[in-house]
Each structure stands twice: as C-alpha cells, then as structure tokens.
Amino acid sequence: MTLTTPEGLDHAIRVDVAPDFRIEESAPDEQRFVFSYTVTVHNTSRHSVQLLARYWKITQGSGKVQEVRGKGVVGQQPLIGPGQTFRYTSRAILDGPVGVMEGAYTCVDTASQRPFEVVVAPFRLAGPNQVH
C-alpha cells in the first residue's frame, strides 16, 4: 500500500506498510493474535520533514475499535531529509485473527515550519488461513 500527500503541497511523503502475523508470539486459545507491521516513510520532496506524532485506528474483526495517539513513532520523532526514508517496525495485538489499521502522521516541513498530515490508508492484518 502506498500513499502520497495531496497535490499542491510543497512536500511529497509516501508511506508503505508491510504487515506480518507473529505466530510465535500469538496464543489463539487465549484470543491473542500478534501482528507486526513495518512502515517505510519516503520523503520525495525537496525539504526535510519531521514526523512529530501518530494516530492509529485499529478495527478488530469483532468490531471493537481502538484508537492510539502519541508523539513520534517507536520513541522517535525522526527528521527525514529530501530523498531519504525512515523505516520502523511496531506491533498490534488483536483478540481475533483479522483486523484493519489506518491512521495518520503529523509532520512538519522544516523549511516553512508548516505542519501537515499524512494519511495512512487502511491495511489488513490477517492470521494464517484467513481470506486476504
């Protein structure tokens, strides 16, 4: 999944997400399904940007919705230079074998100090033997 910031902005940020089911950390008998997801943020603009905050909406197969907000990602507020990428891996724990995550990053263009939001399109979390 790839998403770019809307046209008309001075910056272009693309986000790729690769989810993975973590069978060795999961306990299906206890309704514990662990997923990792690796996010790569590509700065294809001419300016440096800093990722300041994150927002995730996690919708489980049961319909339960969890919202997560916080500063930065994995304890960092990375500065991403022109043409550079930042990659990190995090986890989500669900009570069932399927779910969907979507969200947004709040960033700032370091040249203009203008904040902007990068929307992360929905991506699916699915355990083994689940329809993708």
Side-chain angles (χ1 to χ4, degrees), residues 18 28 50 113:
Q50 186 169 17
Q113 291 300 304

Side-chain angles (χ1 to χ4, degrees), residues 65-122:
V65 175
Q66 178 183 6
E67 295 187 64
V68 179
R69 296 177 192 276
K71 286 186 176 181
V73 291
V74 293
Q76 299 178 54
Q77 290 183 314
L79 182 65
I80 310 166
Q84 294 183 338
T85 61
F86 177 77
R87 177 177 291 145
Y88 72 95
T89 300
S90 192
R91 299 178 343 146
I93 301 171
L94 306 184
D95 59 14
V98 296
V100 175
M101 285 184 67
E102 60 189 293
Y105 296 124
T106 301
C107 299
V108 66
D109 179 317
T110 60
S112 67
Q113 291 300 304
R114 258 191 320 182
F116 63 97
E117 190 171 87
V118 177
V119 175
V120 180

Side-chain angles (χ1 to χ4, degrees), residues 5-97:
T5 53
E7 285 191 51
L9 298 178
D10 293 335
H11 36 74
I13 305 299
R14 193 178 85 233
V15 177
D16 297 321
V17 182
D20 187 39
F21 178 62
R22 308 291 298 173
I23 193 164
E24 67 281 357
E25 298 175 45
S26 298
D29 292 345
E30 300 169 16
Q31 277 115 19
R32 178 183 163 89
F33 296 83
V34 180
F35 296 87
S36 66
Y37 53 95
T38 300
V39 177
T40 306
V41 180
H42 305 266
N43 179 2
T44 60
S45 76
R46 295 171 290 151
H47 301 166
S48 293
V49 298
Q50 186 169 17
L51 194 159
L52 300 177
R54 72 188 180 288
Y55 164 74
W56 289 115
K57 178 181 174 186
I58 306 164
T59 304
Q60 303 199 38
S62 65
K64 178 181 171 186
V65 175
Q66 178 183 6
E67 295 187 64
V68 179
R69 296 177 192 276
K71 286 186 176 181
V73 291
V74 293
Q76 299 178 54
Q77 290 183 314
L79 182 65
I80 310 166
Q84 294 183 338
T85 61
F86 177 77
R87 177 177 291 145
Y88 72 95
T89 300
S90 192
R91 299 178 343 146
I93 301 171
L94 306 184
D95 59 14

